[in-house]
């Protein structure tokens, strides 16, 4: 959140006297869009099967709703990473990982973005790695691209249009996932010393996704078998 002058929004002072900033949330916009489109198409197809289908078709279609809808929600709409003052909250498809900053050993981006905390490794589903963005970033940082930017006067403005820019990123020409990883790593190092940022890593299963999916699967098998 930013003020009218573009600076991060400051809330009331925290107990230690420092300004309280709003939590930063990172998620894949293409993933959310694809999830919404999948749900819309599925709703249209299932609705048509229920209205126009004969025999078992309407019942099979209805039983298939939770088997399809909840996994789609889990893998596209649910994933998010929230960087707060005291902890990092990672919402993955089936689990939620809460890691106080002091427990974070490192964040790294390879073929996927990973959180190392509490002696274990967790993937950040909300921050997918795009090799295409990395290639664009490499081209933007090449000597020929720098010479062209200097000659045309485009400079960093052209580099920022190459890939999405993350607020607080030390290098806006890098791929989005690499920028997010760098910002989260810097946040972890800055906040790890807070007394309120200590504690063990907590992992919670997302039962509101798991239970309906399993129940729907059992219902689907039952309807098909009867």
């Amino acid at each position: 959140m930013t003020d009218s002058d573009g600076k991060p929004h400051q809330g009331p002072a925290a107990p230690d006297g420092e300004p309280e900033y709003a939590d930063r949330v990172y998620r894949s916009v293409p993933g959310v869009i694809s999830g919404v489109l999948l749900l819309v198409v599925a709703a249209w197809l299932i609705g048509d099967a229920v209205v126009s289908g004969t025999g078992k078709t309407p019942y099979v279609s209805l039983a298939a709703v939770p088997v399809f809808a909840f996994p789609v929600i889990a893998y596209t709409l649910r994933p998010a990473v929230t960087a707060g003052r005291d902890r990092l909250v990672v919402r993955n498809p089936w689990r939620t990982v809460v890691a106080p900053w002091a427990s974070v050993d490192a964040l790294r981006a390879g073929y996927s973005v990973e959180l190392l905390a509490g002696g274990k490794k967790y993937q950040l589903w909300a921050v997918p790695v795009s090799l295409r963005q990395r290639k664009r970033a490499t081209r933007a940082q090449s000597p020929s691209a720098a010479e062209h930017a200097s000659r045309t006067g485009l400079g960093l403005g052209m580099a920022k249009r190459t890939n999405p820019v993350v607020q607080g990123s030390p290098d806006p020409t890098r791929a989005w996932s690499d920028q997010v990883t760098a910002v989260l790593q810097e946040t972890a190092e800055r906040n790890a010393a807070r007394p309120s940022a200590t504690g063990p890593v907590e992992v919670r299963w997302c039962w509101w996704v798991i239970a309906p999916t399993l129940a729907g699967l059992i219902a689907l098998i039952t309807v098909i078998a009867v």
Side-chain angles (χ1 to χ4, degrees):
M1 186 180 299
T2 58
D3 295 328
S4 57
D5 58 0
K7 296 181 180 180
H9 174 72
Q10 297 184 11
D16 57 8
E18 295 185 7
E20 187 76 64
Y21 291 94
D23 294 350
R24 292 184 180 179
V25 180
Y26 305 95
R27 65 197 316 161
S28 172
V29 174
V32 172
I33 294 174
S34 63
V36 171
L37 292 176
L38 281 172
L39 291 174
V40 169
V41 172
W44 176 67
L45 293 175
I46 292 174
D48 181 69
V50 171
V51 173
S52 306
T54 58
K56 290 184 179 181
T57 301
Y59 304 101
V60 171
S61 300
L62 289 175
V65 169
V67 178
F68 178 82
F70 281 95
V72 168
I73 293 172
Y75 281 95
T76 60
L77 305 183
R78 172 178 155 76
V81 174
T82 303
R85 178 181 175 84
D86 298 325
R87 61 187 58 83
L88 179 68
V89 180
V90 179
R91 271 194 352 222
N92 282 339
W94 306 106
R95 298 189 301 177
T96 298
V97 180
V98 181
W101 290 119
S103 69
V104 174
D105 299 319
L107 287 117
R108 62 190 184 191
Y111 289 105
S112 64
V113 178
E114 297 174 338
L115 164 68
L116 304 180
K120 295 185 178 181
K121 179 173 65 177
Y122 308 93
Q123 286 190 339
L124 274 61
W125 282 80
V127 189
V129 171
S130 172
L131 298 180
R132 179 178 299 179
Q133 287 186 2
R134 282 183 176 172
K135 290 180 180 179
R136 287 204 300 261
T138 301
R139 288 197 299 268
Q141 295 170 353
S142 65
S144 59
E147 181 182 354
H148 175 73
S150 176
R151 185 172 60 253
T152 58
L154 296 176
L156 186 59
M158 184 65 180
K160 287 183 177 180
R161 288 193 291 272
T162 304
N163 287 318
V165 177
V166 177
Q167 181 182 0
S169 172
D171 185 0
T173 65
R174 300 177 68 187
W176 179 75
S177 58
D178 295 331
Q179 293 183 61
V180 172
T181 303
V183 170
L184 292 177
Q185 179 65 44
E186 190 274 335
T187 304
E189 295 172 355
R190 184 178 66 249
N191 293 333
R194 296 183 186 279
S196 56
T198 60
V201 178
E202 298 179 13
V203 179
R204 300 191 293 264
W205 289 96
C206 183
W207 291 108
W208 70 266
V209 172
I210 298 173
T213 302
L214 294 177
L217 182 60
I218 294 173
L220 180 61
I221 294 174
T222 302
V223 170
I224 294 175
V226 171

